[in-house]
Amino acid sequence: MAACQKLTITKPDDWHLHLRDYQFLASVLPDTAKRFARAIIMPNLKDPVTTTQLAGEYRERIISALPSELQKSFDPLMTLYLTNRTKASEIVKAAESGFVHAVKWYPAGATTNSEKGVSDIVACYDVLEAMQQTEVPLLVHGEVTDPNVDIFDREKIFIDQFLTNIIKNFPDLKVVFEHITTEQAVSLVESTSSNVGATITAHHMLMNRNALFQNGIRPHHYCLPVLKREIHRKALIKAATSGNKKFFLGTDSAPHTQLTKENACGCAGIYTAHGGIEFYAEIFDKAGVLDKLEAFSSFHGPDFYGLRRNKDKITLSRRRHKIADAFPFGDETCIPFRAGENLEWSID
Ligand code: NCD
Ligand code: ZN
């Protein structure tokens, strides 16, 4: 059969995105808003988005930063950053707001701007109880923070130490295991009830951990959870392309300045929004299942969150283009994923 040259699908959503703020926000937002109708906006700003009030203000800044032609077509879905001090009453406010769609649990110290995250999840059980009752999903950065645990095992150990307990103690809580990177995470999600789902990034399906050390150390391939072995990459592709409704698209596009990445202590995060849907098209194409891309990118996410599916469409073409070496990022630069190299698909 001739290879498909053009693919029209329902406009996708990004269920895990970092937009940053102010001039940085303005630089990266168009990449996402051109491709996606909605995105779950991560709350890990330098001053984290811990309340419904702050989420509403951040949402306004995002909408104001949209180019005029995209003002009406992009809807930022806000999240709250869970802390040791979050109150159950804040969850009720969030649920009533209509614009807060989830709460993010960062174990304190697990990743970028997570210092104010949760040091003891058991102390947050009243908040989780309120989320279960109000049907606000819990988004989980699933890595243990114990420095004695090998960095490549942190997700696997998190499942046994934390996640299985949460799922057992809150059977009706909607839980999204974010940016899963291991076959153990895939198995956990597959074996639990329908209110447990997972996002999968493109970069974790395009690279294994060798990419961190390809002819030298590669700071632009460093993200958290860190890239894993080839068997895990294969397990992620299998899950994403399986048609299983529990798995959906979340880019985890996480821009940093070139200076903070190319540094003696470089930041974690990979910028992928410039190919937010195209990288996934490449993966599904290579797996021979382009017909499964739409459900993964445009149906499973809204179905899980209980939101309507988008009505608009986008068209992807098999048209190779070269990715820029760098993008303006505020008054600095950001090095995008696959800088200076080719992407096999383009959006029309
Ligand atoms: C993210 C960031 O930079 O905010 N970094 C990353 O490596 N993915 C945080 C996160 O999602 O862990
Ligand atoms: Zn993230």
Side-chain angles (χ1 to χ4, degrees):
M1 213 171 68
C4 161
Q5 298 301 323
K6 260 189 192 296
L7 180 68
T8 298
I9 59 169
T10 301
K11 203 166 184 195
D13 304 302
D14 184 351
W15 299 95
H16 185 127
L17 177 68
H18 300 271
L19 284 177
R20 314 308 185 200
D21 214 345
Y22 303 110
Q23 72 274 27
F24 299 110
L25 159 66
S27 302
V28 295
L29 179 59
D31 277 348
T32 292
K34 270 180 221 161
R35 293 166 172 81
F36 297 100
R38 297 170 289 196
I40 282 278
I41 311 300
M42 287 294 136
N44 64 330
L45 301 180
K46 284 198 183 95
D47 287 320
V49 181
T50 51
T51 63
T52 306
Q53 165 85 25
L54 288 170
E57 291 165 11
Y58 185 28
R59 184 168 188 275
E60 289 306 314
R61 293 198 295 281
I62 296 170
I63 290 170
S64 315
L66 279 167
S68 52
E69 71 278 13
L70 296 168
Q71 283 279 343
K72 294 240 154 53
S73 62
F74 181 72
D75 186 12
L77 310 176
M78 308 311 292
T79 62
L80 298 190
Y81 184 110
L82 186 63
T83 75
N84 295 330
R85 281 192 286 275
T86 305
K87 293 202 169 64
S89 58
E90 192 60 51
I91 302 304
V92 177
K93 261 193 225 164
E96 285 169 354
S97 73
F99 57 81
V100 175
H101 291 270
V103 172
K104 180 71 188 274
W105 168 21
Y106 290 105
T111 186
T112 308
N113 295 341
S114 65
E115 301 75 18
K116 295 178 182 147
V118 175
S119 54
D120 177 14
I121 192 67
V122 177
C124 299
Y125 270 22
D126 61 327
V127 175
L128 300 189
E129 184 60 48
M131 289 170 62
Q132 180 167 248
Q133 273 173 27
T134 52
E135 294 178 27
V136 174
L138 176 70
L139 313 184
V140 183
H141 184 106
E143 290 190 288
V144 293
T145 54
D146 180 350
N148 295 316
V149 173
D150 190 285
I151 189 165
F152 295 101
D153 295 334
R154 287 183 190 173
E155 182 176 280
K156 184 174 75 186
I157 291 179
F158 182 88
I159 295 172
D160 302 330
Q161 277 189 9
F162 295 98
L163 201 53
T164 44
N165 280 335
I166 299 293
I167 293 169
K168 195 170 77 211
N169 292 331
F170 300 94
D172 296 322
L173 179 65
K174 280 192 192 181
V175 176
V176 184
F177 198 171
E178 296 289 326
H179 42 50
I180 56 168
T181 61
T182 57
E183 58 182 5
Q184 288 83 1
V186 169
S187 302
L188 184 275
V189 173
E190 283 173 346
S191 67
T192 46
S193 74
S194 63
N195 48 305
V196 178
T199 53
I200 306 182
T201 77
H203 50 275
H204 287 107
M205 294 194 278
L206 288 165
M207 296 183 287
N208 65 33
R209 65 191 197 175
N210 284 343
L212 286 163
F213 307 105
Q214 215 172 34
N215 307 319
I217 194 153
R218 298 294 193 110
H220 299 294
H221 292 165
Y222 174 56
C223 62
L224 288 169
V226 75
L227 298 172
K228 303 294 191 302
R229 282 178 182 276
E230 181 65 5
I231 44 162
H232 298 295
R233 188 183 77 88
K234 290 216 171 94
L236 298 179
I237 294 176
K238 194 164 165 229
T241 59
S242 66
N244 186 334
K245 285 178 69 79
K246 289 168 147 260
F247 299 104
F248 39 92
L249 184 157
T251 62
D252 194 20
S253 177
H256 289 273
T257 65
Q258 181 173 10
L259 276 177
T260 55
K261 292 287 293 174
E262 297 174 11
N263 193 288
C265 186
C267 291
I270 301 181
Y271 186 67
T272 54
H274 59 296
I277 185 68
E278 300 92 315
F279 289 124
Y280 287 98
E282 227 181 75
I283 295 160
F284 279 67
D285 184 22
K286 230 184 183 165
V289 287
L290 265 178
D291 58 314
K292 297 251 171 65
L293 179 66
E294 183 178 42
F296 175 78
S297 312
S298 316
F299 298 161
H300 298 170
D303 293 357
F304 182 90
Y305 274 82
L307 298 170
R308 55 166 182 78
R309 293 178 179 181
N310 296 316
K311 291 208 171 66
D312 288 351
K313 307 265 176 197
I314 58 158
T315 298
L316 287 145
S317 295
R318 186 189 301 279
R319 190 173 65 236
R320 178 174 299 165
H321 70 274
K322 192 169 170 254
I323 296 171
D325 293 320
F327 285 118
F329 185 43
D331 44 18
E332 304 194 48
T333 50
C334 171
I335 306 298
F337 179 51
R338 231 190 245 171
E341 294 173 39
N342 289 330
L343 215 175
E344 297 303 320
W345 287 81
S346 302
I347 50 165
D348 288 1

